[in-house]
Coordinates of all heavy atoms in Angstrom, one line a residue:
M1 N 43.2 -6.4 -18.5 CA 44.0 -7.2 -17.6 C 43.7 -6.8 -16.1 O 43.6 -5.6 -15.8 CB 45.5 -7.1 -17.8 CG 46.3 -8.0 -17.0 SD 47.9 -8.1 -17.6 CE 48.7 -9.0 -16.4
V2 N 43.5 -7.7 -15.2 CA 43.2 -7.4 -13.8 C 44.5 -7.2 -13.0 O 45.4 -8.0 -13.1 CB 42.4 -8.6 -13.2 CG1 42.1 -8.3 -11.7 CG2 41.1 -8.9 -14.0
P3 N 44.6 -6.0 -12.3 CA 45.8 -5.8 -11.5 C 45.9 -6.8 -10.4 O 44.9 -7.4 -9.9 CB 45.6 -4.4 -10.9 CG 44.1 -4.1 -11.1 CD 43.6 -5.0 -12.2
P4 N 47.1 -7.2 -10.0 CA 47.3 -8.2 -9.0 C 46.6 -8.0 -7.7 O 46.1 -8.9 -7.0 CB 48.8 -8.2 -8.8 CG 49.4 -7.4 -9.8 CD 48.4 -6.6 -10.4
E5 N 46.4 -6.7 -7.2 CA 45.8 -6.4 -6.0 C 44.3 -6.7 -6.0 O 43.6 -6.7 -5.0 CB 46.0 -5.0 -5.5 CG 45.5 -3.9 -6.4 CD 46.5 -3.5 -7.5 OE1 47.6 -4.1 -7.5 OE2 46.2 -2.6 -8.2
A6 N 43.7 -6.8 -7.2 CA 42.3 -7.1 -7.4 C 42.0 -8.5 -7.4 O 40.8 -8.9 -7.5 CB 41.8 -6.4 -8.7
L7 N 43.0 -9.4 -7.4 CA 42.7 -10.8 -7.4 C 42.0 -11.2 -6.1 O 42.3 -10.7 -5.0 CB 44.0 -11.6 -7.5 CG 44.7 -11.4 -8.9 CD1 46.0 -12.2 -8.9 CD2 43.8 -11.9 -10.0
R8 N 41.1 -12.2 -6.2 CA 40.3 -12.5 -5.0 C 41.1 -13.4 -4.0 O 41.0 -13.2 -2.8 CB 39.0 -13.2 -5.5 CG 38.1 -13.6 -4.4 CD 36.8 -14.0 -4.8 NE 36.0 -14.3 -3.7 CZ 35.4 -15.4 -3.4 NH1 35.5 -16.4 -4.3 NH2 34.7 -15.5 -2.3
C9 N 41.8 -14.4 -4.5 CA 42.5 -15.3 -3.6 C 44.0 -15.2 -3.8 O 44.5 -15.0 -4.9 CB 42.0 -16.8 -3.9 SG 40.3 -17.0 -3.6
R10 N 44.7 -15.4 -2.7 CA 46.2 -15.4 -2.7 C 46.7 -16.5 -1.9 O 46.1 -16.8 -0.9 CB 46.7 -14.0 -2.2 CG 46.3 -12.9 -3.1 CD 46.9 -11.6 -2.5 NE 46.2 -10.5 -3.1 CZ 46.5 -9.3 -2.9 NH1 47.5 -8.9 -2.1 NH2 45.8 -8.3 -3.4
R11 N 47.9 -16.9 -2.2 CA 48.6 -17.9 -1.4 C 49.4 -17.2 -0.3 O 50.2 -16.3 -0.6 CB 49.5 -18.6 -2.4 CG 50.0 -19.9 -2.2 CD 49.3 -21.1 -1.8 NE 48.7 -21.9 -2.9 CZ 47.8 -22.8 -2.6 NH1 47.6 -23.2 -1.3 NH2 47.2 -23.5 -3.5
Q12 N 49.2 -17.5 0.9 CA 50.0 -16.9 2.0 C 51.3 -17.6 2.2 O 51.5 -18.7 1.7 CB 49.1 -17.1 3.3 CG 47.8 -16.3 3.3 CD 48.0 -14.8 3.2 OE1 48.9 -14.2 3.7 NE2 47.1 -14.2 2.4
P13 N 52.3 -16.9 2.9 CA 53.6 -17.6 3.1 C 53.4 -18.9 3.8 O 54.3 -19.8 3.7 CB 54.3 -16.6 4.0 CG 53.7 -15.3 3.7 CD 52.2 -15.6 3.4
S14 N 52.4 -19.1 4.6 CA 52.2 -20.4 5.3 C 51.6 -21.5 4.4 O 51.2 -22.5 4.9 CB 51.3 -20.2 6.5 OG 50.0 -19.8 6.1
R15 N 51.5 -21.2 3.1 CA 51.0 -22.1 2.1 C 49.5 -22.3 2.2 O 49.0 -23.1 1.5 CB 51.7 -23.4 2.2 CG 53.2 -23.4 2.2 CD 53.8 -23.1 0.9 NE 53.7 -24.1 -0.1 CZ 53.8 -23.9 -1.4 NH1 54.2 -22.8 -1.8 NH2 53.7 -24.9 -2.2
S16 N 48.8 -21.5 3.0 CA 47.4 -21.6 3.0 C 46.8 -20.5 2.0 O 47.4 -19.5 1.7 CB 46.8 -21.3 4.4 OG 47.1 -20.0 4.8
L17 N 45.6 -20.8 1.6 CA 44.9 -19.9 0.6 C 44.0 -19.0 1.3 O 43.2 -19.3 2.1 CB 44.1 -20.8 -0.4 CG 43.6 -20.1 -1.6 CD1 44.7 -19.6 -2.5 CD2 42.7 -21.0 -2.4
S18 N 44.2 -17.7 1.1 CA 43.4 -16.6 1.7 C 42.6 -15.9 0.6 O 43.1 -15.4 -0.4 CB 44.3 -15.6 2.4 OG 43.6 -14.5 2.8
C19 N 41.3 -15.8 0.9 CA 40.4 -15.2 -0.1 C 39.6 -14.1 0.6 O 39.1 -14.2 1.7 CB 39.4 -16.2 -0.7 SG 40.1 -17.6 -1.6
R20 N 39.5 -12.9 -0.1 CA 38.7 -11.8 0.4 C 37.2 -12.1 0.0 O 36.9 -12.7 -1.0 CB 39.0 -10.5 -0.2 CG 40.2 -10.2 -0.8 CD 40.4 -8.8 -1.3 NE 40.4 -8.8 -2.8 CZ 39.5 -8.1 -3.5 NH1 38.6 -7.4 -3.0 NH2 39.5 -8.2 -4.8
P21 N 36.3 -11.7 0.9 CA 34.9 -11.8 0.5 C 34.5 -11.0 -0.7 O 35.0 -9.9 -0.9 CB 34.2 -11.4 1.8 CG 35.2 -10.6 2.6 CD 36.5 -11.0 2.1
M22 N 33.6 -11.5 -1.5 CA 33.1 -10.9 -2.7 C 31.9 -10.0 -2.4 O 30.8 -10.3 -2.9 CB 32.9 -11.9 -3.8 CG 34.1 -12.6 -4.4 SD 35.1 -11.4 -5.3 CE 34.1 -11.2 -6.8
T23 N 32.0 -9.0 -1.6 CA 30.9 -8.2 -1.3 C 30.7 -7.0 -2.2 O 29.7 -6.5 -2.5 CB 30.9 -7.7 0.1 OG1 32.2 -7.0 0.3 CG2 30.8 -8.8 1.1
T24 N 31.9 -6.5 -2.7 CA 31.8 -5.3 -3.6 C 32.7 -5.7 -4.9 O 33.7 -6.4 -4.7 CB 32.4 -4.1 -3.0 OG1 33.7 -4.3 -2.6 CG2 31.6 -3.7 -1.8
P25 N 32.3 -5.2 -6.0 CA 33.1 -5.4 -7.2 C 34.5 -4.7 -7.0 O 34.6 -3.7 -6.3 CB 32.3 -4.8 -8.3 CG 31.3 -3.9 -7.7 CD 31.1 -4.4 -6.3
P26 N 35.6 -5.2 -7.6 CA 36.9 -4.6 -7.4 C 37.0 -3.2 -8.0 O 37.8 -2.5 -7.5 CB 37.8 -5.6 -8.1 CG 37.0 -6.5 -8.9 CD 35.6 -6.4 -8.4
Y27 N 36.2 -2.9 -8.9 CA 36.3 -1.6 -9.6 C 34.9 -1.1 -9.9 O 34.1 -1.8 -10.5 CB 37.1 -1.7 -10.8 CG 37.2 -0.4 -11.6 CD1 37.9 0.7 -11.1 CD2 36.5 -0.2 -12.8 CE1 37.9 1.9 -11.8 CE2 36.6 1.0 -13.5 CZ 37.3 2.0 -13.0 OH 37.3 3.2 -13.6
Q28 N 34.6 0.2 -9.5 CA 33.4 0.8 -9.9 C 33.7 2.1 -10.7 O 34.3 3.0 -10.1 CB 32.6 1.2 -8.7 CG 32.1 0.1 -7.8 CD 31.4 0.5 -6.6 OE1 31.8 1.5 -6.0 NE2 30.4 -0.2 -6.1
P29 N 33.3 2.2 -11.9 CA 33.7 3.3 -12.7 C 33.0 4.6 -12.2 O 31.8 4.6 -11.9 CB 33.2 3.0 -14.1 CG 32.6 1.6 -14.1 CD 32.6 1.2 -12.7
G30 N 33.8 5.6 -12.0 CA 33.2 6.9 -11.6 C 33.1 7.1 -10.1 O 32.8 8.2 -9.6
Y31 N 33.3 6.1 -9.3 CA 33.2 6.2 -7.8 C 34.4 5.6 -7.2 O 35.0 4.6 -7.7 CB 32.0 5.6 -7.3 CG 30.7 6.2 -7.9 CD1 30.0 5.6 -8.9 CD2 30.2 7.4 -7.4 CE1 28.9 6.1 -9.4 CE2 29.1 8.0 -7.9 CZ 28.4 7.3 -8.9 OH 27.3 7.9 -9.4
P32 N 34.8 6.1 -6.0 CA 35.9 5.5 -5.3 C 35.5 4.0 -4.9 O 34.3 3.7 -4.7 CB 36.1 6.3 -4.0 CG 35.3 7.6 -4.3 CD 34.3 7.3 -5.3
Q33 N 36.5 3.2 -4.8 CA 36.2 1.8 -4.4 C 35.6 1.7 -3.0 O 36.1 2.4 -2.1 CB 37.5 1.0 -4.5 CG 37.3 -0.5 -4.3 CD 38.5 -1.3 -4.5 OE1 39.6 -0.7 -4.7 NE2 38.4 -2.6 -4.4
G34 N 34.5 1.0 -2.9 CA 33.9 0.8 -1.6 C 32.8 1.8 -1.3 O 32.2 1.7 -0.3
V35 N 32.5 2.7 -2.2 CA 31.4 3.7 -2.0 C 30.3 3.3 -2.9 O 30.5 3.0 -4.1 CB 31.9 5.1 -2.3 CG1 30.8 6.1 -2.1 CG2 33.1 5.5 -1.3
S36 N 29.1 3.4 -2.4 CA 27.9 3.1 -3.2 C 27.6 4.1 -4.3 O 28.1 5.2 -4.2 CB 26.7 3.0 -2.2 OG 25.5 2.8 -3.0
D37 N 26.9 3.7 -5.3 CA 26.5 4.6 -6.3 C 25.2 5.3 -6.0 O 24.7 6.1 -6.7 CB 26.4 3.9 -7.7 CG 25.4 2.8 -7.7 OD1 25.1 2.2 -6.6 OD2 25.0 2.4 -8.8
K38 N 24.6 5.0 -4.9 CA 23.4 5.6 -4.4 C 23.7 6.8 -3.5 O 24.6 6.8 -2.8 CB 22.5 4.6 -3.6 CG 22.3 3.3 -4.3 CD 21.4 3.4 -5.4 CE 21.1 2.1 -6.1 NZ 20.4 2.2 -7.3
S39 N 22.8 7.8 -3.6 CA 23.0 9.1 -2.9 C 22.3 9.0 -1.5 O 21.2 8.6 -1.4 CB 22.5 10.2 -3.7 OG 22.4 11.4 -3.0
K40 N 23.0 9.5 -0.5 CA 22.4 9.6 0.8 C 21.3 10.6 0.8 O 20.2 10.3 1.5 CB 23.5 10.1 1.8 CG 23.1 10.3 3.2 CD 24.2 10.6 4.1 CE 24.7 12.0 4.0 NZ 25.7 12.4 5.0
V41 N 21.4 11.7 0.1 CA 20.3 12.7 0.1 C 19.0 12.2 -0.6 O 17.9 12.3 0.0 CB 20.8 14.0 -0.6 CG1 19.7 15.0 -0.7 CG2 22.0 14.6 0.2
V42 N 19.2 11.5 -1.7 CA 18.0 11.0 -2.4 C 17.4 9.9 -1.5 O 16.1 9.9 -1.4 CB 18.4 10.4 -3.8 CG1 17.3 9.6 -4.4 CG2 18.9 11.5 -4.7
A43 N 18.2 9.0 -0.9 CA 17.6 8.0 -0.1 C 16.9 8.6 1.1 O 15.8 8.1 1.5 CB 18.7 7.0 0.4
G44 N 17.4 9.6 1.8 CA 16.8 10.2 2.9 C 15.5 10.9 2.6 O 14.5 10.8 3.3
V45 N 15.5 11.7 1.5 CA 14.3 12.4 1.1 C 13.2 11.4 0.7 O 12.0 11.6 1.0 CB 14.6 13.4 -0.1 CG1 13.4 14.0 -0.7 CG2 15.5 14.5 0.4
L46 N 13.5 10.4 -0.1 CA 12.5 9.4 -0.5 C 12.0 8.7 0.8 O 10.8 8.5 0.9 CB 13.2 8.3 -1.4 CG 13.4 8.7 -2.8 CD1 14.1 7.6 -3.5 CD2 12.0 8.9 -3.5
Q47 N 12.8 8.5 1.8 CA 12.4 7.8 3.0 C 11.5 8.7 3.8 O 10.5 8.3 4.4 CB 13.6 7.3 3.8 CG 13.2 6.4 4.9 CD 12.7 5.0 4.4 OE1 12.7 4.7 3.2 NE2 12.1 4.3 5.3
I48 N 11.8 10.0 3.8 CA 11.0 11.0 4.6 C 9.6 11.1 3.9 O 8.5 11.1 4.6 CB 11.6 12.3 4.7 CG1 12.8 12.3 5.7 CG2 10.7 13.4 5.1 CD1 13.7 13.5 5.7
L49 N 9.6 11.3 2.6 CA 8.3 11.5 1.9 C 7.5 10.2 1.7 O 6.2 10.3 1.8 CB 8.6 12.1 0.5 CG 9.2 13.5 0.5 CD1 9.5 13.9 -0.9 CD2 8.4 14.5 1.2
L50 N 8.1 9.1 1.4 CA 7.4 7.9 1.1 C 7.9 6.7 2.0 O 7.8 5.5 1.6 CB 7.6 7.5 -0.4 CG 7.0 8.5 -1.4 CD1 7.5 8.2 -2.8 CD2 5.5 8.6 -1.3
G51 N 8.4 7.0 3.2 CA 9.0 6.0 4.0 C 8.0 4.9 4.5 O 8.4 3.8 4.8
G52 N 6.7 5.3 4.6 CA 5.7 4.3 5.0 C 5.6 3.2 4.0 O 5.3 2.0 4.3
F53 N 6.0 3.4 2.8 CA 6.0 2.4 1.7 C 7.4 1.8 1.5 O 7.6 0.9 0.7 CB 5.5 2.9 0.4 CG 4.1 3.5 0.5 CD1 3.9 4.8 0.4 CD2 3.0 2.7 0.7 CE1 2.7 5.4 0.5 CE2 1.8 3.2 0.8 CZ 1.6 4.6 0.7
G54 N 8.4 2.2 2.3 CA 9.7 1.7 2.2 C 10.5 2.1 1.0 O 11.5 1.4 0.6
V55 N 10.1 3.2 0.3 CA 10.7 3.5 -1.0 C 12.2 3.8 -0.8 O 13.0 3.4 -1.7 CB 9.9 4.7 -1.6 CG1 10.6 5.2 -2.8 CG2 8.5 4.3 -1.9
G56 N 12.6 4.5 0.2 CA 14.0 4.8 0.4 C 14.8 3.6 0.6 O 15.9 3.5 0.1
R57 N 14.3 2.6 1.3 CA 15.0 1.4 1.5 C 15.1 0.6 0.2 O 16.1 -0.1 -0.1 CB 14.3 0.5 2.6 CG 14.5 1.1 4.0 CD 16.0 1.1 4.4 NE 16.2 1.7 5.7 CZ 17.3 1.5 6.4 NH1 18.3 0.8 5.9 NH2 17.5 2.1 7.5
F58 N 14.0 0.6 -0.6 CA 14.1 -0.1 -1.9 C 15.1 0.6 -2.8 O 15.9 -0.1 -3.5 CB 12.7 -0.1 -2.6 CG 11.7 -1.0 -2.0 CD1 10.5 -0.6 -1.5 CD2 12.0 -2.4 -1.9 CE1 9.6 -1.5 -0.9 CE2 11.1 -3.3 -1.4 CZ 9.9 -2.8 -0.9
Y59 N 15.2 1.9 -2.7 CA 16.2 2.6 -3.5 C 17.6 2.2 -3.1 O 18.5 2.0 -3.9 CB 16.0 4.1 -3.3 CG 17.1 5.0 -3.9 CD1 17.3 5.2 -5.3 CD2 18.1 5.5 -3.0 CE1 18.3 5.9 -5.8 CE2 19.1 6.3 -3.5 CZ 19.2 6.5 -4.9 OH 20.3 7.2 -5.4
M60 N 17.8 2.0 -1.8 CA 19.2 1.7 -1.3 C 19.5 0.2 -1.6 O 20.7 -0.2 -1.4 CB 19.2 1.9 0.2 CG 19.2 3.4 0.5 SD 19.0 3.8 2.3 CE 19.8 2.5 3.2
G61 N 18.6 -0.6 -2.0 CA 18.8 -2.0 -2.2 C 18.5 -2.9 -1.1 O 18.8 -4.1 -1.1
D62 N 17.9 -2.3 0.0 CA 17.6 -3.1 1.2 C 16.1 -3.5 1.1 O 15.3 -2.9 1.8 CB 17.9 -2.2 2.4 CG 17.8 -3.0 3.7 OD1 17.6 -4.3 3.7 OD2 18.0 -2.4 4.8
T63 N 15.8 -4.5 0.3 CA 14.5 -4.8 0.0 C 13.8 -5.5 1.2 O 12.6 -5.3 1.4 CB 14.4 -5.8 -1.2 OG1 15.2 -6.9 -1.0 CG2 14.8 -5.1 -2.5
K64 N 14.5 -6.2 2.0 CA 13.9 -6.8 3.2 C 13.3 -5.8 4.1 O 12.2 -5.9 4.6 CB 15.0 -7.7 3.9 CG 14.4 -8.4 5.1 CD 15.6 -9.2 5.8 CE 15.1 -9.8 7.1 NZ 16.2 -10.5 7.8
M65 N 14.1 -4.7 4.4 CA 13.6 -3.7 5.3 C 12.5 -2.9 4.7 O 11.6 -2.5 5.3 CB 14.8 -2.8 5.7 CG 14.4 -1.8 6.8 SD 13.9 -2.6 8.4 CE 15.4 -3.2 8.9
G66 N 12.6 -2.7 3.4 CA 11.5 -2.0 2.6 C 10.2 -2.7 2.7 O 9.1 -2.1 3.0
V67 N 10.2 -4.1 2.6 CA 9.0 -4.9 2.7 C 8.5 -4.8 4.1 O 7.2 -4.7 4.3 CB 9.3 -6.3 2.2 CG1 8.1 -7.2 2.6 CG2 9.5 -6.3 0.7
I68 N 9.4 -4.9 5.1 CA 8.9 -4.8 6.5 C 8.3 -3.5 6.8 O 7.2 -3.5 7.5 CB 10.1 -5.1 7.5 CG1 10.6 -6.5 7.3 CG2 9.7 -4.8 8.9 CD1 11.9 -6.8 8.1
Q69 N 8.8 -2.4 6.3 CA 8.2 -1.1 6.5 C 6.8 -1.0 5.9 O 5.9 -0.4 6.4 CB 9.1 0.0 6.0 CG 10.3 0.3 6.9 CD 11.2 1.4 6.5 OE1 11.2 1.7 5.3 NE2 12.0 1.9 7.4
L70 N 6.7 -1.5 4.7 CA 5.4 -1.5 4.0 C 4.4 -2.3 4.7 O 3.3 -1.9 4.9 CB 5.6 -2.1 2.6 CG 4.4 -2.2 1.7 CD1 3.8 -0.9 1.5 CD2 4.7 -2.9 0.4
V71 N 4.8 -3.5 5.2 CA 3.8 -4.4 5.9 C 3.4 -3.7 7.3 O 2.2 -3.7 7.6 CB 4.4 -5.8 6.2 CG1 3.6 -6.6 7.2 CG2 4.6 -6.5 4.9
V72 N 4.4 -3.1 8.0 CA 4.0 -2.4 9.2 C 3.1 -1.3 9.0 O 2.1 -1.1 9.8 CB 5.3 -2.0 10.0 CG1 5.0 -1.0 11.1 CG2 6.1 -3.2 10.5
T73 N 3.3 -0.5 7.9 CA 2.4 0.6 7.6 C 1.0 0.1 7.3 O 0.0 0.7 7.8 CB 3.0 1.4 6.5 OG1 4.2 1.9 6.8 CG2 2.1 2.6 6.1
L74 N 0.9 -1.0 6.5 CA -0.4 -1.5 6.2 C -1.1 -2.1 7.4 O -2.3 -1.9 7.6 CB -0.3 -2.5 5.1 CG 0.2 -2.0 3.7 CD1 0.4 -3.1 2.7 CD2 -0.8 -1.0 3.2
V75 N -0.4 -2.8 8.2 CA -1.0 -3.4 9.4 C -1.5 -2.4 10.4 O -2.5 -2.6 11.1 CB 0.0 -4.5 10.0 CG1 -0.5 -4.9 11.4 CG2 0.2 -5.6 9.1
T76 N -0.7 -1.3 10.6 CA -1.1 -0.3 11.6 C -2.0 0.8 11.0 O -2.1 1.9 11.6 CB 0.2 0.3 12.2 OG1 0.9 1.0 11.2 CG2 1.0 -0.7 12.9
C77 N -2.5 0.6 9.8 CA -3.4 1.6 9.1 C -2.7 2.9 9.0 O -3.3 4.0 9.2 CB -4.7 1.7 9.9 SG -5.6 0.2 10.0
G78 N -1.4 2.9 8.7 CA -0.7 4.2 8.4 C 0.1 4.7 9.5 O 1.0 5.6 9.3
L79 N 0.0 4.3 10.7 CA 0.8 4.8 11.8 C 2.2 4.4 11.7 O 3.1 5.0 12.2 CB 0.2 4.3 13.2 CG -1.1 5.0 13.6 CD1 -1.7 4.4 14.8 CD2 -1.0 6.5 13.7
G80 N 2.5 3.3 11.0 CA 3.9 2.8 10.8 C 4.7 3.7 10.0 O 5.9 3.5 9.9
S81 N 4.0 4.6 9.3 CA 4.8 5.5 8.4 C 5.7 6.5 9.2 O 6.6 7.1 8.7 CB 3.9 6.3 7.5 OG 3.0 7.1 8.3
L82 N 5.4 6.6 10.5 CA 6.3 7.4 11.4 C 7.7 6.8 11.4 O 8.7 7.5 11.5 CB 5.7 7.5 12.8 CG 4.5 8.4 12.9 CD1 3.9 8.3 14.4 CD2 4.8 9.8 12.6
W83 N 7.8 5.5 11.4 CA 9.0 4.8 11.3 C 9.8 5.2 10.1 O 11.0 5.5 10.2 CB 8.8 3.3 11.3 CG 10.0 2.4 11.2 CD1 11.3 2.8 11.4 CD2 10.0 1.1 10.8 NE1 12.1 1.7 11.2 CE2 11.4 0.6 10.8 CE3 9.1 0.2 10.4 CZ2 11.8 -0.6 10.5 CZ3 9.5 -1.1 10.1 CH2 10.8 -1.5 10.1
G84 N 9.2 5.3 9.0 CA 9.8 5.8 7.7 C 10.3 7.2 7.8 O 11.4 7.5 7.3
L85 N 9.5 8.1 8.5 CA 9.9 9.5 8.7 C 11.2 9.6 9.5 O 12.2 10.2 9.2 CB 8.8 10.3 9.3 CG 9.1 11.7 9.7 CD1 9.3 12.6 8.4 CD2 8.0 12.3 10.6
I86 N 11.2 8.9 10.6 CA 12.4 8.9 11.5 C 13.6 8.2 10.9 O 14.7 8.7 11.0 CB 12.0 8.2 12.9 CG1 11.0 9.0 13.6 CG2 13.2 7.9 13.7 CD1 10.3 8.2 14.8
D87 N 13.3 7.1 10.1 CA 14.4 6.5 9.4 C 15.0 7.4 8.4 O 16.3 7.4 8.2 CB 13.9 5.2 8.8 CG 14.9 4.3 8.3 OD1 16.1 4.3 8.8 OD2 14.7 3.5 7.3
G88 N 14.2 8.2 7.7 CA 14.7 9.1 6.7 C 15.6 10.2 7.3 O 16.6 10.6 6.7
I89 N 15.2 10.7 8.4 CA 16.0 11.7 9.1 C 17.3 11.1 9.6 O 18.4 11.7 9.4 CB 15.2 12.3 10.3 CG1 14.0 13.1 9.8 CG2 16.1 13.1 11.2 CD1 13.0 13.5 10.9
L90 N 17.3 9.9 10.1 CA 18.5 9.2 10.5 C 19.5 9.0 9.3 O 20.7 9.1 9.4 CB 18.2 7.9 11.2 CG 17.6 8.1 12.6 CD1 17.2 6.7 13.2 CD2 18.6 8.8 13.5
I91 N 18.9 8.6 8.2 CA 19.7 8.4 7.0 C 20.4 9.7 6.6 O 21.6 9.7 6.3 CB 18.9 7.9 5.8 CG1 18.5 6.4 6.1 CG2 19.7 8.0 4.5 CD1 17.5 5.9 5.1
L92 N 19.7 10.8 6.6 CA 20.3 12.1 6.3 C 21.4 12.6 7.3 O 22.4 13.1 6.9 CB 19.2 13.2 6.1 CG 18.3 13.1 4.9 CD1 17.2 14.1 5.0 CD2 19.2 13.3 3.7
V93 N 21.1 12.3 8.6 CA 22.0 12.8 9.6 C 23.3 11.9 9.7 O 24.4 12.3 9.7 CB 21.3 12.9 10.9 CG1 22.3 13.2 12.1 CG2 20.2 14.0 10.9
N94 N 23.0 10.6 9.9 CA 24.1 9.6 10.2 C 24.6 8.9 8.9 O 25.7 8.3 9.0 CB 23.6 8.5 11.1 CG 23.2 9.1 12.5 OD1 23.8 10.1 12.9 ND2 22.3 8.4 13.2
G95 N 23.9 9.0 7.8 CA 24.3 8.2 6.7 C 23.8 6.8 6.8 O 23.2 6.4 7.8
A96 N 24.1 5.9 5.9 CA 23.6 4.5 5.9 C 24.4 3.7 4.9 O 25.4 4.3 4.3 CB 22.1 4.5 5.5
V97 N 24.1 2.5 4.8 CA 24.8 1.6 3.8 C 23.8 1.1 2.8 O 22.6 1.0 3.2 CB 25.5 0.5 4.5 CG1 26.7 1.0 5.4 CG2 24.6 -0.4 5.4
D98 N 24.2 0.7 1.6 CA 23.3 0.2 0.7 C 23.1 -1.3 0.9 O 23.6 -1.9 1.9 CB 23.8 0.5 -0.8 CG 25.1 -0.2 -1.1 OD1 25.6 -1.0 -0.3 OD2 25.5 -0.1 -2.3
G99 N 22.4 -2.0 0.0 CA 22.2 -3.4 0.2 C 23.4 -4.3 0.2 O 23.3 -5.4 0.6
Q100 N 24.5 -3.8 -0.3 CA 25.7 -4.5 -0.4 C 26.7 -4.2 0.8 O 27.8 -4.6 0.8 CB 26.4 -4.4 -1.7 CG 25.6 -4.9 -2.9 CD 26.3 -4.7 -4.2 OE1 27.2 -3.9 -4.3 NE2 25.9 -5.3 -5.2
G101 N 26.2 -3.3 1.7 CA 27.1 -2.9 2.8 C 28.0 -1.8 2.6 O 28.9 -1.5 3.4
R102 N 27.9 -1.1 1.4 CA 28.8 0.0 1.1 C 28.2 1.3 1.6 O 27.0 1.5 1.5 CB 29.0 0.1 -0.4 CG 29.7 -1.1 -1.0 CD 29.8 -1.1 -2.5 NE 28.4 -1.0 -3.0 CZ 28.1 -0.9 -4.3 NH1 29.1 -0.9 -5.2 NH2 26.9 -0.9 -4.7
P103 N 29.0 2.3 2.1 CA 28.4 3.5 2.6 C 27.8 4.3 1.4 O 28.4 4.3 0.3 CB 29.5 4.2 3.2 CG 30.8 3.6 2.8 CD 30.4 2.2 2.3
L104 N 26.7 5.0 1.6 CA 26.1 5.9 0.6 C 27.0 7.1 0.3 O 27.6 7.6 1.3 CB 24.7 6.3 1.0 CG 23.7 5.2 1.2 CD1 22.4 5.8 1.7 CD2 23.4 4.4 -0.1
R105 N 27.0 7.5 -0.9 CA 27.8 8.7 -1.2 C 27.0 10.0 -0.8 O 25.8 10.0 -0.7 CB 28.2 8.8 -2.7 CG 27.0 9.0 -3.6 CD 27.5 9.0 -5.1 NE 26.4 8.8 -6.0 CZ 25.7 9.9 -6.4 NH1 26.0 11.1 -6.1 NH2 24.6 9.7 -7.3
D106 N 27.8 11.1 -0.6 CA 27.2 12.3 -0.1 C 26.5 13.1 -1.3 O 26.8 13.0 -2.4 CB 28.2 13.2 0.5 CG 28.6 12.7 1.9 OD1 27.8 12.0 2.5 OD2 29.8 12.9 2.3

């Protein structure tokens, strides 16, 4: 049975219907609600080592940015991989969000 707070839409006192956006599932087993199941450390290390191919971004579920990093690296004959290196360092230092907008776990 679904708890009442997990319901998506509710009737407001003004008789209007209010719905929360469906960006994250209401319950994730093993993790706090709203936190990604992807690791910040794994994403950062993958991005530092293979960032030119966008591997860290693919791991995080951000396929659009992963494809852009891959194309930039191929077009610039490998110089675009510096972007992946810097991006990996920023992921480790500042954290990031996964493809669904949830913060990565530590």
Side-chain angles (χ1 to χ4, degrees):
M1 182 168 173
V2 178
E5 62 272 1
L7 294 176
R8 182 167 183 238
C9 297
R10 296 183 198 181
R11 205 48 84 192
Q12 298 297 326
S14 63
R15 309 288 290 164
S16 64
L17 191 63
S18 171
C19 297
R20 338 182 251 123
M22 290 291 288
T23 56
T24 60
Y27 174 71
Q28 295 175 326
Y31 298 102
Q33 187 174 4
V35 177
S36 177
D37 59 339
K38 306 294 183 189
S39 170
K40 176 174 75 169
V41 174
V42 172
V45 170
L46 282 173
Q47 194 64 13
I48 287 172
L49 297 178
L50 300 169
F53 302 111
V55 174
R57 289 293 178 167
F58 285 122
Y59 169 76
M60 292 169 31
D62 192 2
T63 55
K64 180 180 175 184
M65 189 60 69
V67 169
I68 291 171
Q69 287 180 338
L70 177 62
V71 169
V72 167
T73 299
L74 293 175
V75 168
T76 62
C77 298
L79 290 176
S81 62
L82 289 175
W83 176 19
L85 175 70
I86 294 169
D87 193 27
I89 293 169
L90 289 175
I91 289 171
L92 287 173
V93 172
N94 295 333
V97 294
D98 67 0
Q100 296 178 345
R102 299 175 296 179
L104 297 175
R105 66 182 168 88
D106 290 330

